[in-house]
Amino acid sequence: MAHQWRGIIAEYAQRLPLATAGAVTLLEGGTPLLAAPAISTRVGAEVYVKVEGANPTGSFKDRGMTTAITEVVQRGANAVICASTGNTSASAAAYAVRAGLRCIVMLPAGKIALGKLAQAIVHGAELVSVDGNFDDCLRVVREIVERTDTAMVNSVNPYRLQGQKTAAFEIVDALGRAPDIHCLPVGNAGNISAYWMGFNEYAGRMTATSFDHPSTHLPPKTDTVPRMWGFQAAGAAPFVAGEPIANPETVATAIRIGAPASWDYAVAARDDSGGLIDAVSDDEILAAQRLLAAEVGVFVEPASAASVAGLLAKAEAGEVPAGALITCTVTGNGLKDTATALEGADVNPPLVAPETDQIIAQLKLR
Ligand SMILES: *Cc1c(COP(=O)(O)O)cnc(C)c1O
């Protein structure tokens, strides 16, 4: 093989606090940073989407899972466990297969998109359906790892954020500079913390989430860092409320979280960058999902569209600087949740006879 992307641990070896030998990888990362003229025109800026649904299990979670599970193997635990709204379990299950580890998944009952559940099942994870929400699942997981020799791979595992920061590196590598504004969905708030760390390390600065290892002090690749614009679903927006909320509700199940684990880091990312964390309605999220599919050519799951929904709302409010360079992470693949995408759609196209002339006429093809 002459040339292939090698996965984030090999590609960014100098900037990660891990040995590369024995890395557990599915060659994640290296995802498209795609120009989005349909969005650029609407907001009066130059907009790109970072298509994280192109990762091996269909979400950005793979970036953090390669580092977390590599570290678990180096440490020598024999099982991994996570609480999950779906994508963490899909990713953990696949990487556990590569590592030969047991994988235990705590799922909030009834709130998982079917595609994600299918992934955990086909990869052989051991599923436990908890009669509670994501926050309840996370508490149980924390208690289990305290009492047993099981490693937690939720984003409170610091190696998760280390891996996830590489998406910021890729954006700067692709653009040749940092964007002015970076937009992304916020759920448990690990990703906004990780991107902030990544952008800062590329600018030669440290954040509270940075590991202080020698490579953190490599020469900077850029002078600037973006403003971080995080967007939550209105029914699950603890950062907007200023405190955890008890019963989060949104169609965007991946960000249906009331008590984000990375609270302080996310607040630091928001405030130190001069950014914001705002809320968007489920209708705005679904409209942005349709826009991405119909006009950009990217099918994302609902939570992923919160970044674009938020940017569009800010533009509507006149708060997007004209001509700014803006990147939006779209976090996961639309194929994971086709039920939501097809709601209200006509899935039975008209039945016709296999008569070419008739079909050409009916379609008005010329
Ligand atoms: C996990 C996830 C999020 C939320 O990311 P946090 O790091 O929890 O804020 C958003 N979208 C998708 C598709 C996800 O899988």
Side-chain angles (χ1 to χ4, degrees), residues 59-61 87 164 185-191 254-255 301 303-304 331-332:
S59 84
F60 75 83
K61 297 297 197 296
N87 283 331
Q164 287 172 211
V186 174
N188 215 20
N191 217 26
I255 53 173
E301 67 170 287
S304 311
T331 43

Side-chain angles (χ1 to χ4, degrees), residues 162-218:
Q162 287 291 316
Q164 287 172 211
K165 75 182 180 185
T166 60
F169 296 164
E170 289 177 19
I171 288 172
V172 176
D173 288 340
L175 295 173
R177 55 164 283 203
D180 300 314
I181 296 169
H182 183 75
C183 303
L184 78 177
V186 174
N188 215 20
N191 217 26
I192 190 172
S193 309
Y195 270 82
W196 182 234
M197 169 168 48
F199 283 125
N200 274 277
E201 289 185 11
Y202 248 29
R205 309 174 200 174
M206 302 279 282
T207 69
T209 41
S210 300
F211 274 41
D212 192 6
H213 55 98
S215 52
T216 316
H217 305 285
L218 291 171

Side-chain angles (χ1 to χ4, degrees), residues 1-17:
M1 211 175 308
H3 182 73
Q4 177 169 241
W5 177 265
R6 296 167 298 163
I8 60 149
I9 294 179
E11 293 290 337
Y12 292 107
Q14 283 194 302
R15 294 187 179 267
L16 292 170

Side-chain angles (χ1 to χ4, degrees), residues 252-308:
T253 51
I255 53 173
R256 186 175 170 273
I257 292 169
S262 298
W263 185 280
D264 294 343
Y265 297 145
V267 167
R270 178 192 68 191
D271 296 346
D272 296 350
S273 74
L276 54 86
I277 300 179
D278 227 325
V280 285
S281 69
D282 279 6
D283 284 348
E284 290 175 301
I285 288 172
L286 294 175
Q289 181 191 28
R290 285 191 297 269
L291 172 71
L292 280 159
E295 295 188 40
V296 182
V298 179
F299 182 23
V300 304
E301 67 170 287
S304 311
S307 54
V308 170

